[in-house]
């Protein structure tokens, strides 16, 4: 019914012919009779009204084919039946039935042509089927004839032939299977021969063949066995890969890489390789250190193998420290060299593969290959830093595991040199600045150097206290570069290179360590061989050089190289600071050189054993500084302390004297005084002597200080026969000057090593300390000059002279001859001393200058003691002084004579008028109050009256008052 309803809805209200063939007999409604159909056709058709009637039919009538309409309508009847209502309802149902019947009739009529056409097709089909049956019958007949005449005779032969071919193929397959079964033996042989690529190739081919014959049950077991074999090959391949970490072999590595390429695991291999390198570094260092620890421990029961590497490093003994470090670096070098060669192999391999042979088909494969190469390259480059970091950490743990503060200097320098070489390896390996190594070695160096420097200062004090200040005989061409400690300066101009590094830098071809030791050898093997290279040859056999050199001594003096700068300059008056108009000529300089009391010896440097030791120490400090720049400032600071202590000792032994403080000669400059005070405050432990009696140890602040040294009892400075220890004073002072010159020579080198922020310290050290060394000559030699000539005797002789004479004298006084005899005796004694110790020109000049100054001041003091004096007496004073000058100029080459004006001005002041005298008193403060007062008193009566005298004395008192 639902079909009918939907069909009616689609077709609309048409009037087809009546056809009931499609109706199911189950459908329970009355078929309209012919009269009714005719009546329906005759009735006027209103499609819309019909459709409304059909729409008014209840849905339940279309629900299913088994629907019982009669039962349904009966159930709907009300309990009380009404005839009229029943008739109305019946008419309604009739109308609905009529509408449905009409719709069905229309549909049947509409499908009538299709029915007729289909009936025709059925008839035609029946005819064709009859024809086909006839054809089939004929065909079977023909097939029976063919079977008898052809199939049984000919095709039987063909079938047998086909069966034979199949069996032949089967035999071939069976032979292949038999070969596959025997591949295990060949694979084992290839693995023993380390032919990994061949083994993998064979295994992959077997797997491919096995997959071809997988339909055989025996092959499934073989396939799993081949898979196990392939995994076993991979394991052995991994072991073979790990072997390249220590001893790289090109052939071996090429096989391994080819094998991984066949497996398609190139990237995995690279990951594994880095893991093996990390493991190799750990295992190598552990085994090296463990070997030494167990060797030194002997039969101890300690289980060292279970220790961590860091703890193991703390058990290394000082004796085995350096050999173990050397072996450690050698082993690590082998690992890094292997990695370096691995990278080289890949670079060369990539270059070969990168040769362009592209075609359109291989574009995808080429992209994949490029990606693989790029991955490997990045992995290797990243691994450089990682491996070097591992190396640094292992060496750092070793370095910090032992306290090196008590090592011998050469041993510690050796350690620094090894680490320096290792840092050079790191720089060439991956461009690293090796911060980890630098920090750890800096920490050890600071610890070691503090302890070392403290010990060296104590040793220096001991040297100074036992020093007899005798000349150390060295060759005339002695240079500090000849000493072992300064060899590194001659080997390389670069101050940054370590001793071991300079050996390779000397190579004409500037090649890296990896290129240098590519074929074999080890950069850490040359260390021990270079430890003792040559012997020094700096000492003269007996303090004298050969005759030829003695002959050339005068020629040597003609050069300006040995003339101090202060003598090359024009003479500067110390009192006034004025420079005379007449400059010192070259000829005068040459003549003055003859004052050097050493013409019988070559101009060899004056130094003592202690000086030589200090210079050696400076060389050692510089070696340490060269190898390890981070502690450069601390090293230079300690070097300055060595110089400070030496300078302070020389001053304390030979120059400290309260007598010259009141002399007014300005012997110690303010700069030198400041320097000495600074050294005393910062370096000298003044409380040490007081503590010797007590039991208290030094405080932390004073640990950096050193007790003041004491002069050896063997040195006698009071004997007049030796000019009050002049030889010792010359050796001490001039050795200090020589030391200062060596520091000046080293300044450019130190300047390059000093951090820029600390350079002001170095400049201040040189300007305020090193340059003051020569200034110690004045106070030290003044003590000799003050005692060498008997100035008191001269004052007594002058006191006995009568100065208020009435006539001009033509003969000078006796005191002048006595004084000149004193100078002649002084000159002779200088000559005697010079036979033992060369007295350089600056020293003799200072000595003569001091003596002359003291003599002139003694003359002024003698003239100031005169109670009465006439004009003729003053003329006699001038005569005496001129005689003294004339004879003195024959004894010394010093020009002009020091303090000559000091005497002449005082003598001439006698003739000044009152006003000029007052001005003289104000302008000439170099004279003492007593000398000025005496001058005024002596002039009283001759040309100054009492009133003027009072005025002048008041002026003198005013000048003196600020001094009080």
């Amino acid at each position: 019914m639902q079909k009918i309803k939907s069909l009616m809805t689609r077709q609309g209200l048409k009037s087809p012919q009546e056809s009931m063939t499609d109706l199911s007999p189950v459908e329970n409604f009355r078929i309209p009779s012919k009269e009714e159909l005719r009546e329906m056709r005759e009735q006027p058709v209103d499609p819309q009204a019909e459709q409304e009637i059909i729409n008014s039919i209840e849905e339940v009538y279309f629900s299913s084919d088994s629907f019982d309409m009669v039962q349904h309508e009966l159930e709907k009847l009300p309990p009380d039946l009404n005839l009229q209502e029943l008739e109305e309802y019946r008419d309604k149902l009739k109308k609905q039935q009529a509408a449905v019947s009409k719709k069905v009739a229309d549909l049947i009529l509409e499908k009538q042509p299709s029915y007729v056409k289909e009936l025709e097709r059925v008839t035609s089909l029946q005819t064709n089927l009859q024809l086909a049956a006839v054809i089939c019958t004929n065909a079977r007949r023909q097939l029976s004839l063919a079977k008898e005449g052809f199939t049984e005779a000919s095709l039987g032969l063909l079938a047998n032939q086909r069966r034979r071919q199949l069996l032949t193929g089967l035999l071939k397959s069976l032979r292949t299977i038999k070969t596959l079964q025997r591949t295990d033996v060949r694979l084992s042989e290839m693995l023993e021969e380390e032919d990994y690529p061949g083994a993998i190739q064979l295994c992959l081919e077997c797997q491919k063949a096995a997959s071809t014959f997988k339909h055989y049950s025996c092959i499934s077991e073989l396939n799993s066995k081949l898979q196990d074999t392939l995994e076993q090959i991979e394991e052995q391949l991994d072991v073979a890969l790990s072997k390249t970490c220590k001893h790289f072999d090109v052939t071996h590595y090429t096989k391994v890489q080819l094998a991984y390429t066949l497996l398609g695991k190139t990237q995995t291999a690279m990951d594994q390789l880095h893991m093996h390198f990390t493991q190799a570094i750990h295992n190598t260092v552990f085994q090296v250190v463990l070997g030494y620890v167990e060797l030194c421990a002997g039969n101890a029961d300690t289980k060292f193998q279970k220790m961590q590497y860091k703890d193991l490093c703390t058990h290394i003994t000082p004796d085995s420290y350096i050999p173990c470090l050397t072996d450690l670096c050698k082993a690590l070098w082998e690992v890094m060299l292997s990695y370096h060669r691995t990278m080289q192999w890949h670079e060369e391999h990539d270059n070969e593969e990168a040769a362009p042979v592209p075609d359109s088909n291989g574009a995808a494969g080429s992209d994949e290959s490029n990606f693989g190469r790029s991955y490997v390259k990045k992995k290797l480059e990243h691994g450089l830093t990682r491996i070097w970091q591992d190396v640094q950490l292992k060496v750092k743990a070793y370095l910090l595991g032992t306290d090196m503060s008590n090592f011998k200097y050469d041993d510690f320098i050796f350690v620094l040199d090894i680490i320096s070489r290792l840092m050079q390896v790191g720089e060439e390996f991956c461009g690293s600045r090796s911060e980890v190594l630098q920090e750890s070695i800096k920490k050890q160096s600071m610890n070691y150097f503090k302890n070392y420097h403290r010990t060296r200062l104590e040793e220096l004090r001991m040297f100074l206290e036992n020093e007899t200040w005798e000349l150390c005989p060295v060759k005339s061409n002695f240079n500090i570069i000849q000493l072992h400690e300064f060899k590194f300066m001659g080997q390389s101009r670069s101050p940054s290179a370590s001793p071991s590094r300079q050996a390779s830098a000397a190579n004409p071809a500037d090649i890296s360590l990896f290129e240098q030791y590519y074929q074999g050898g080890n950069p850490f093997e040359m260390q021990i061989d270079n430890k003792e290279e040559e012997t020094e040859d700096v000492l003269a056999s007996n303090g004298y050089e050969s005759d030829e050199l003695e002959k050339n001594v005068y020629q040597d003096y003609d050069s300006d190289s040995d003339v101090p700068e202060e003598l090359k300059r024009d003479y500067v008056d110390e009192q006034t600071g004025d420079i005379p108009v007449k400059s010192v000529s070259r000829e005068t300089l040459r003549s003055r050189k003859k004052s050097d009391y050493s013409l019988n010896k070559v101009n060899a440097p004056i130094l003592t054993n202690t000086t030589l030791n200090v210079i050696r120490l400076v060389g050692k400090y510089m070696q340490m500084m060269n190898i390890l720049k981070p502690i450069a400032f601390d090293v230079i600071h300690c070097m300055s302390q060595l110089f400070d202590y030496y300078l302070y000792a020389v001053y304390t032994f030979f120059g400290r004297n309260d007598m010259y403080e009141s002399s007014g000669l300005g012997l110690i400059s303010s700069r030198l005084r400041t320097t000495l005070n600074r050294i005393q405050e910062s370096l000298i432990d003044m409380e040490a002597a007081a503590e010797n009696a007590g039991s208290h140890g030094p405080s932390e602040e004073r640990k950096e200080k050193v007790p003041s040294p004491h002069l050896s009892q063997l040195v006698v400075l009071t004997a007049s026969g030796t000019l009050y220890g002049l030889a010792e004073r010359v050796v001490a002072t001039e050795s200090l000057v020589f030391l200062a010159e060596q520091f000046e020579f080293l300044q450019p080198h130190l300047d390059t090593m000093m951090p820029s922020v600390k350079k002001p310290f170095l400049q201040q050290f040189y300007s305020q300390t090193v340059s003051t060394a020569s200034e110690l000559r004045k106070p030290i030699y003044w003590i000799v000059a003050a005692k060498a000539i008997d100035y008191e005797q001269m004052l007594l002789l002058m006191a006995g002279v009568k100065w208020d004479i009435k006539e001009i004298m033509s003969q000078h006084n006796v005191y002048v001859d006595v004084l000149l005899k004193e100078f002649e005796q002084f000159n002779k004694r200088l000559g005697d001393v010079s036979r033992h110790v060369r007295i350089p020109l600056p020293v003799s000049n200072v000595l003569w200058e001091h003596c002359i100054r003291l003599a002139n001041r003694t003359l002024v003091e003698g003239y100031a003691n005169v109670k009465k004096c006439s004009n003729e007496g003053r003329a006699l004073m001038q005569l005496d002084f001129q005689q003294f000058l004339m004879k003195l100029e024959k004894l010394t080459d010093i020009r002009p004579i020091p303090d000559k004006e000091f005497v002449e001005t005082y003598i001439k002041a006698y003739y000044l008028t009152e006003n000029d005298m007052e001005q003289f008193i104000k302008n000439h403060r170099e004279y003492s109050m007593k000398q000025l007062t005496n001058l005024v008193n002596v002039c009283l009566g001759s040309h100054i009256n009492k009133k003027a005298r009072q005025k002048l004395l008041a002026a003198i008192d005013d000048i003196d008052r600020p001094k009080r």
Side-chain angles (χ1 to χ4, degrees):
M1 289 300 287
Q2 287 176 339
K3 292 178 183 177
I4 293 172
K5 183 177 180 182
S6 62
L7 189 60
M8 288 191 299
T9 306
R10 283 199 309 271
Q11 295 296 329
L13 298 173
K14 293 182 181 179
S15 301
Q17 289 184 349
E18 179 183 5
S19 178
M20 300 302 292
T21 56
D22 291 333
L23 293 176
S24 171
V26 183
E27 291 175 330
N28 194 6
F29 64 86
R30 188 176 63 83
I31 300 172
S33 62
K34 291 182 179 179
E35 289 87 4
E36 287 174 340
L37 287 172
R38 188 169 55 249
E39 284 176 8
M40 283 189 286
R41 282 195 297 273
E42 288 174 359
Q43 287 177 358
V45 179
D46 185 359
Q48 188 174 356
E50 265 186 21
Q51 187 64 38
E52 286 178 359
I53 292 168
I54 290 170
N55 290 341
S56 66
I57 297 171
E58 293 181 31
E59 287 293 329
V60 72
Y61 283 95
F62 303 100
S63 60
S64 65
D65 293 341
S66 60
F67 175 64
D68 189 353
M69 293 177 287
V70 176
Q71 182 69 27
H72 174 70
E73 290 299 334
L74 288 174
E75 287 175 356
K76 284 174 63 178
L77 291 176
D80 299 326
L81 299 175
N82 187 331
L83 182 62
Q84 186 178 352
E85 287 177 358
L86 285 173
E87 286 178 349
E88 287 176 0
Y89 187 65
R90 184 195 64 186
D91 292 340
K92 180 183 175 184
L93 289 174
K94 272 186 173 185
K95 284 180 183 178
Q96 288 176 347
Q97 182 183 10
V100 170
S101 298
K102 186 174 182 302
K103 187 71 173 177
V104 170
D106 288 343
L107 290 172
I108 290 169
L109 289 174
E110 184 182 351
K111 298 293 181 181
Q112 181 75 21
S114 300
Y115 168 73
V116 173
K117 190 184 289 183
E118 194 65 31
L119 190 61
E120 289 174 355
R121 286 177 63 196
V122 168
T123 308
S124 172
L125 181 62
Q126 188 176 1
T127 307
N128 288 338
L129 285 172
Q130 290 171 352
L131 179 62
V134 173
I135 291 170
C136 284
T137 306
N138 292 334
R140 283 176 179 167
R141 192 182 303 116
Q142 297 294 334
L143 280 171
S144 298
L145 291 173
K147 182 179 178 183
E148 292 172 3
F150 176 72
T151 305
E152 291 179 356
S154 301
L155 290 183
L157 293 172
L158 291 174
N160 290 336
Q161 177 63 24
R162 182 172 174 274
R163 192 177 295 110
R164 181 184 173 187
Q165 285 180 342
L166 287 171
L167 289 172
T168 306
L170 178 61
L171 182 62
K172 187 178 179 181
S173 298
L174 289 172
R175 282 174 181 162
T176 306
I177 291 168
K178 185 180 180 182
T179 307
L180 288 176
Q181 295 284 5
R182 292 178 179 175
T183 51
D184 272 353
V185 179
R186 180 59 189 146
L187 280 172
S188 300
E189 290 174 359
M190 294 176 92
L191 288 176
E192 284 178 11
E193 295 167 5
E194 294 188 346
D195 184 10
Y196 303 108
I200 290 169
Q201 188 77 40
L202 180 60
C203 201
L204 291 174
E205 286 174 2
C206 289
Q207 278 191 325
K208 189 177 179 183
S211 64
T212 308
F213 301 111
K214 62 184 176 183
H215 48 282
Y216 296 110
S217 58
C218 62
I219 290 297
S220 59
E221 185 183 345
L222 175 66
N223 217 351
S224 62
K225 192 174 183 181
L226 283 172
Q227 187 61 38
D228 292 342
T229 305
L230 196 61
E231 288 174 6
Q232 183 186 348
I233 292 173
E234 280 192 47
E235 288 176 9
Q236 290 198 24
L237 197 57
D238 193 51
V239 173
L241 184 66
S242 68
K243 289 179 183 177
T244 64
C245 296
K246 289 187 180 179
H247 303 289
F248 183 87
D249 179 69
V250 176
T251 311
H252 178 77
Y253 189 72
T254 307
K255 283 182 183 178
V256 172
Q257 280 298 322
L258 182 57
Y260 273 111
T261 306
L262 289 171
L263 288 173
K265 294 186 176 181
T266 311
Q267 295 179 16
T268 309
M270 198 46 56
D271 296 339
Q272 286 293 106
L273 182 67
H274 281 82
M275 186 187 75
H276 287 314
F277 267 106
T278 305
Q279 193 66 30
I281 290 171
H282 175 76
N283 292 344
T284 300
V285 296
F286 188 84
Q287 289 304 323
V288 169
V289 177
L290 179 66
Y292 276 93
V293 169
E294 288 183 339
L295 184 69
C296 297
N299 298 322
D301 295 332
T302 314
K303 295 180 180 178
F304 294 115
Q305 289 189 348
K306 294 183 179 179
M307 281 188 179
Q308 292 289 325
Y309 170 73
K310 193 173 181 181
D311 299 329
L312 196 63
C313 290
T314 59
H315 287 80
I316 288 287
T317 61
D319 291 339
S320 61
Y321 188 85
I322 289 177
C324 182
L325 178 61
T326 308
D327 287 349
L328 200 65
C329 291
K330 283 180 184 178
L332 289 170
W333 162 261
E334 293 295 340
V335 175
M336 287 188 283
L337 180 63
S338 295
Y339 193 87
H340 181 79
R341 294 185 68 182
T342 304
M343 285 193 72
Q344 275 193 332
W345 186 92
H346 280 281
E347 283 176 15
E348 292 167 7
H349 192 66
D350 289 351
N351 292 337
E352 288 173 10
E353 285 190 354
V357 202
D359 57 352
S360 56
N361 297 331
S366 176
D367 289 345
E368 188 177 343
S369 175
N370 288 336
F371 173 77
R373 284 202 298 270
S374 174
Y375 176 84
V376 169
K377 186 178 180 182
K378 285 180 181 175
K379 190 78 177 174
L380 284 168
E381 287 173 354
H382 176 70
L384 280 171
T385 313
R386 184 177 156 191
I387 285 171
W388 178 240
Q389 193 67 13
D390 285 347
V391 169
Q392 285 192 88
L393 291 171
K394 297 299 179 189
V395 178
K396 175 188 176 183
Y398 183 82
L399 284 174
L400 299 181
T402 304
D403 181 12
M404 291 191 277
S405 59
N406 294 315
F407 272 35
K408 291 179 182 176
Y409 173 80
D410 289 339
D411 289 344
F412 189 73
I413 283 293
F414 192 56
V415 171
L416 289 187
D417 199 22
I418 291 174
I419 300 304
S420 175
R421 173 56 65 96
L422 189 62
M423 286 194 281
Q424 183 192 353
V425 170
E427 189 177 342
E428 292 178 6
F429 186 66
C430 62
S432 169
R433 297 184 64 83
S434 308
E435 287 84 359
V436 174
L437 276 180
Q438 283 196 13
E439 192 58 38
S440 54
I441 199 65
K442 180 182 177 182
K443 185 177 178 182
Q444 281 286 34
S445 296
M446 288 299 296
N447 185 31
Y448 174 82
F449 194 71
K450 243 181 178 179
N451 191 57
Y452 181 79
H453 177 62
R454 174 72 195 172
T455 311
R456 297 294 81 75
L457 275 178
E458 288 291 345
E459 281 182 7
L460 179 57
R461 179 167 76 97
M462 184 186 71
F463 269 112
L464 289 167
E465 290 184 348
N466 290 283
E467 179 63 68
T468 55
W469 302 102
E470 291 179 0
L471 196 62
C472 176
V474 291
K475 293 190 174 183
S476 59
N477 62 348
F478 171 73
N479 190 305
I480 60 171
I481 300 297
Q482 297 164 359
L483 298 174
H484 274 314
E485 288 76 9
F486 291 92
K487 286 290 181 189
F488 69 94
M489 289 181 67
Q491 287 169 351
S492 172
R493 291 183 181 180
S494 169
S496 62
S498 70
S500 61
R501 190 167 180 175
Q502 288 146 6
S504 61
N507 224 342
D510 191 13
I511 57 175
S512 73
L513 292 172
F514 288 97
E515 293 169 350
Q516 190 177 347
Y517 297 98
Y518 187 83
Q519 297 300 331
N522 197 298
F524 297 97
E525 284 174 354
M526 58 183 290
Q527 303 283 338
I528 298 170
D529 302 334
N530 287 346
K531 202 168 181 182
E532 291 295 336
E533 284 181 334
E534 303 171 12
T535 55
E536 294 176 345
D537 185 20
V538 295
L539 297 179
S541 56
N542 56 359
Y544 294 87
E545 295 288 351
S546 65
D547 294 338
E548 284 186 28
L549 289 174
E550 287 186 31
K551 290 175 188 174
N552 295 332
V553 68
Y554 284 99
Q555 296 172 10
D556 291 342
Y557 286 149
D558 284 343
S559 71
D560 279 344
S561 61
D562 296 325
V563 182
E565 283 297 320
E566 59 265 27
L567 291 182
K568 290 181 183 178
R569 297 195 297 268
D570 293 340
Y571 171 77
V572 180
D573 191 303
E574 284 196 21
Q575 299 299 325
T576 62
D578 297 329
I579 301 173
V581 178
K582 185 179 178 182
S583 64
V584 181
S585 67
R586 199 174 183 85
E587 287 73 17
T588 311
L589 276 176
R590 193 172 287 113
S591 65
R592 284 181 191 172
K593 290 171 190 172
K594 294 176 184 177
S595 297
D596 192 335
Y597 292 83
S598 59
L599 296 185
N600 60 335
K601 287 187 186 163
V602 180
N603 198 9
I606 296 177
L607 66 157
T608 66
N609 285 324
T610 304
T611 321
L612 207 54
N613 278 318
V614 172
I615 292 170
R616 288 183 188 278
L617 267 183
V618 168
K620 289 180 178 180
Y621 281 23
M622 288 179 69
Q623 277 185 31
M624 197 177 298
M625 179 172 59
N626 255 0
I627 296 171
L628 199 68
K629 289 182 183 178
I631 66 164
F633 169 70
D634 303 277
V635 175
I636 291 175
H637 177 66
C638 292
M639 281 170 57
S640 72
Q641 287 188 341
L642 293 175
F643 186 84
D644 286 350
Y645 195 69
Y646 195 93
L647 182 143
Y648 185 81
V650 171
Y651 165 73
T652 308
F653 294 167
F654 303 104
R656 180 178 280 172
N657 195 304
D658 296 330
M659 287 173 61
Y660 58 69
E661 297 293 337
S662 58
S663 67
L665 292 172
L667 297 172
I668 291 190
S669 65
S670 59
R671 184 175 62 160
L672 179 56
R673 192 181 301 281
T674 304
T675 298
L676 291 168
N677 289 338
R678 176 188 62 76
I679 295 171
Q680 186 167 304
E681 287 173 12
S682 62
L683 189 60
I684 307 302
D685 186 2
M686 302 305 290
E687 300 174 29
E691 273 191 2
N692 285 342
S695 58
H696 300 291
S699 64
E700 283 296 322
E701 293 179 2
R702 288 172 46 218
K703 276 186 179 178
E704 303 297 324
K705 295 186 176 183
V706 191
S708 180
H710 303 288
L711 184 63
S712 170
Q713 294 180 354
L714 298 175
V715 181
V716 180
L717 301 178
T718 54
S720 59
T722 60
L723 268 180
Y724 305 95
L726 178 61
E728 288 84 355
R729 292 176 191 273
V730 169
V731 171
T733 312
E734 298 315 303
S735 66
L736 174 65
V737 172
F738 177 78
L739 187 60
E741 288 170 358
Q742 304 320 302
F743 268 84
E744 293 284 359
F745 168 72
L746 296 171
Q747 184 179 6
H749 192 85
L750 296 177
D751 195 57
T752 59
M753 301 302 299
M754 190 66 129
S756 54
V757 290
K758 300 288 188 179
K759 283 190 178 179
F761 166 80
L762 189 65
Q763 293 163 1
Q764 187 178 15
F765 168 64
Y766 271 92
S767 62
Q768 295 186 5
T769 306
V770 177
S771 61
T772 59
S774 58
E775 294 181 17
L776 272 182
R777 285 171 173 159
K778 282 189 176 182
I780 289 172
Y781 297 134
W782 184 88
I783 297 171
V784 175
K787 295 178 179 179
I789 292 172
D790 193 351
Y791 304 103
E792 293 297 327
Q793 180 192 5
M794 191 170 65
L795 282 176
L796 291 173
L797 290 172
M798 289 178 75
V801 177
K802 190 176 181 182
W803 301 102
D804 55 347
I805 54 177
K806 299 299 182 184
E807 59 184 30
I808 295 175
M809 303 294 289
S810 60
Q811 181 64 33
H812 60 272
N813 283 303
V814 179
Y815 73 88
V816 175
D817 295 328
V818 173
L819 181 58
L820 288 168
K821 275 188 180 180
E822 288 276 335
F823 271 101
E824 287 172 3
Q825 185 65 24
F826 172 69
N827 194 24
K828 182 177 178 294
R829 286 181 181 178
L830 278 182
D832 293 340
V833 173
S834 70
R835 290 190 182 93
H836 303 287
V837 176
R838 178 174 66 87
I839 300 179
L841 179 62
V843 176
S844 63
N845 284 346
V846 168
L847 280 167
W848 275 100
E849 183 183 337
H850 279 330
C851 287
I852 294 168
R853 281 183 186 278
L854 285 167
N856 284 338
R857 287 173 182 272
T858 306
L859 288 172
V860 171
E861 187 65 23
Y863 296 150
N865 289 334
V866 174
K867 302 300 179 185
K868 292 181 181 179
C869 182
S870 60
N871 289 336
E872 291 79 8
R874 285 293 167 179
L876 181 58
M877 288 179 185
Q878 285 181 327
L879 176 65
D880 290 346
F881 187 58
Q882 290 304 320
Q883 177 68 18
F884 171 66
L885 290 179
M886 184 178 67
K887 293 289 180 73
L888 186 63
E889 285 175 353
K890 293 178 181 178
L891 290 173
T892 179
D893 293 328
I894 293 182
R895 301 292 185 275
I897 297 295
D899 280 357
K900 176 184 172 185
E901 292 81 3
F902 184 76
V903 181
E904 289 178 342
T905 305
Y906 188 79
I907 295 171
K908 291 174 183 176
Y910 176 81
Y911 302 106
L912 296 176
T913 61
E914 177 188 336
N915 292 333
D916 290 339
M917 181 70 78
E918 187 176 356
Q919 192 64 37
F920 176 86
I921 289 168
K922 289 178 181 178
N923 293 340
H924 292 273
R925 299 193 178 190
E926 67 268 22
Y927 299 106
S928 67
M929 185 180 174
K930 173 197 167 187
Q931 290 166 350
L932 292 173
T933 304
N934 183 267
L935 187 63
V936 172
N937 289 333
V938 168
C939 292
L940 180 65
S942 61
H943 53 277
I944 292 179
N945 55 33
K946 287 186 178 181
K947 186 178 179 183
R949 173 178 173 269
Q950 293 298 327
K951 183 181 178 184
L952 292 171
L953 290 175
I956 293 169
D957 195 49
D958 289 340
I959 291 169
D960 188 57
R961 191 172 292 122
K963 295 179 185 178
R964 296 174 187 169

